Amino acid sequence: MIDLSQKIAVVSGGATLIGEKIAEAFVNSGAKVIVADINDEDGNKLADKLGDNVHFIKTDITSDENIDSCISESIAHFGGIDFLINVACTYLDNGADSSRDEWLTALNTNVIGAAIFTQKVTPQMKKRGGGAVVNFGSISGKRAQPGRMLYATSKAAILGMTRNQALLLAEDNIRINSVSPGWTWSNVIRDFSGNNREKADGVAEPFHLNSRLVDAEEVASSVVFLCSDAASGINGTDLAVDGGYTAIGPEQKTDRLPELAS
Ligand SMILES: NC(=O)c1ccc[n+]([C@@H]2O[C@H](COP(=O)([O-])OP(=O)(O)OC[C@H]3O[C@@H](n4cnc5c(N)ncnc54)[C@H](O)[C@@H]3O)[C@@H](O)[C@H]2O)c1
């Protein structure tokens, strides 16, 4: 059992299902959580559901002013910030046809939002003797996927950014890592599949060693682990929470050699 009592985590993009499970996991470890998201309806609902240890602050991570006010309100509400979890993202992507505006919007949300939030929040962590940041990469940052360009590029950038942030902030006792989920039971996959978990697991089966989607709770427990002292030796790296997606190659899980002999 990880004990994070007295700790405060800010979760950008926390109003979504993955964010909700992260907030729950932090609360179950004794921490308090700020959910920072542009979606105030779901953010407020989540804070109401999880109780006094979770507070919602409407925040657009593409706005420096919004990030500043989120940080001040977090400190006024809970007294400080120890962890930042950069979950917020956009899936805006027109593949090879993406316009300059679409590129700028996608990178602004997925990379620059996380970079500036980290830049602005880490002085607060320093005041508390250190802290941890968990960025969100993806299998999409490591493998090409059909139809994708902006999202995949932004997630690859997150992995590089994480290493450099870790180097720059290590002297302040702030560790920066990322998690890279595989296909995860999330708002997006729930909506795509018509809320059909069995169908979604079936689609994911051939290319995840675990033969199913990753659960949001599995992503959340990895995030909490990376913030905890149990992960004190882990810095500047990526934790694949992908059910084995990146462990296998194009042959997937089937032995293709017999095909040669047949
Ligand atoms: N769903 C998956 O299978 C999967 C797989 C790999 C990685 N991921 C990563 O997990 C994270 C969550 O993904 P998801 O599928 O739950 O996405 P989602 O679209 O459901 O959630 C993203 C959240 O970010 C918020 N957001 C968007 N723009 C924002 C902004 N400018 N400021 C503040 N908040 C903003 C949204 O309101 C939403 O609550 C992302 O970083 C994504 O890249 C997801």
Side-chain angles (χ1 to χ4, degrees):
M1 168 79 188
I2 287 172
D3 181 9
L4 296 178
S5 39
Q6 316 304 324
K7 301 292 187 186
I8 297 124
V10 174
V11 184
S12 85
T16 190
L17 181 61
I18 292 177
E20 173 179 338
K21 296 304 170 191
I22 293 171
E24 258 175 19
F26 272 118
V27 169
N28 291 339
S29 300
K32 295 181 169 47
V33 179
I34 298 289
V35 172
D37 203 299
I38 38 172
N39 181 342
D40 46 358
E41 195 186 332
D42 288 351
N44 279 314
K45 262 193 224 155
L46 177 61
D48 288 347
K49 182 176 159 191
L50 296 184
D52 289 347
N53 288 327
V54 177
H55 179 65
F56 174 69
I57 303 174
K58 185 172 184 182
T59 310
D60 180 347
I61 61 159
T62 65
S63 154
D64 287 4
E65 293 72 26
N66 271 219
I67 292 175
D68 285 335
S69 48
C70 176
I71 292 171
S72 345
E73 194 181 327
S74 302
I75 292 164
H77 197 82
F78 283 139
I81 300 173
D82 302 285
F83 311 130
L84 171 67
I85 320 303
N86 286 309
V87 180
C89 82
T90 176
Y91 286 102
L92 172 71
D93 203 322
N94 266 316
D97 294 327
S98 302
S99 67
R100 182 177 295 273
D101 274 355
E102 288 166 338
W103 271 102
L104 290 172
T105 302
L107 293 180
N108 198 15
T109 307
N110 292 359
V111 184
I112 302 171
I116 301 291
F117 216 139
T118 302
Q119 178 197 74
K120 287 178 175 290
V121 86
T122 44
Q124 302 303 327
M125 295 178 182
K126 202 173 157 185
K127 282 186 197 160
R128 290 166 71 87
V133 176
V134 179
N135 293 321
F136 263 66
S138 169
I139 49 172
S140 312
K142 302 173 180 177
R143 300 286 186 268
Q145 290 173 310
R148 285 202 158 155
M149 178 63 80
L150 307 188
Y151 179 76
T153 304
S154 69
K155 291 294 161 181
I158 285 282
L159 303 181
M161 184 177 81
T162 299
R163 289 189 286 272
N164 287 281
Q165 288 174 323
L167 172 61
L168 295 171
L169 290 158
E171 65 185 13
D172 297 326
N173 195 31
I174 297 168
R175 291 181 300 106
I176 321 272
N177 292 291
S178 58
V179 290
S180 284
W183 283 33
T184 303
W185 184 247
S186 53
N187 289 15
V188 175
I189 291 194
R190 187 190 58 202
D191 295 349
F192 256 113
S193 66
N195 199 18
N196 187 335
R197 175 67 196 253
E198 204 183 331
K199 180 177 164 195
D201 277 336
V203 175
E205 190 274 333
F207 48 90
H208 291 77
L209 287 184
N210 290 359
S211 299
R212 59 167 174 81
L213 298 173
V214 178
D215 278 312
E217 290 86 346
E218 293 171 317
V219 177
S221 58
S222 306
V223 167
V224 167
F225 163 69
L226 284 174
C227 290
S228 75
D229 287 344
S232 56
I234 302 177
N235 199 5
T237 197
D238 180 66
L239 185 56
V241 190
D242 63 9
Y245 178 106
T246 46
I248 47 178
E251 292 160 41
Q252 300 185 341
K253 292 185 282 177
T254 313
D255 183 358
R256 308 299 293 269
L257 281 177
E259 290 176 37
L260 291 178
S262 67

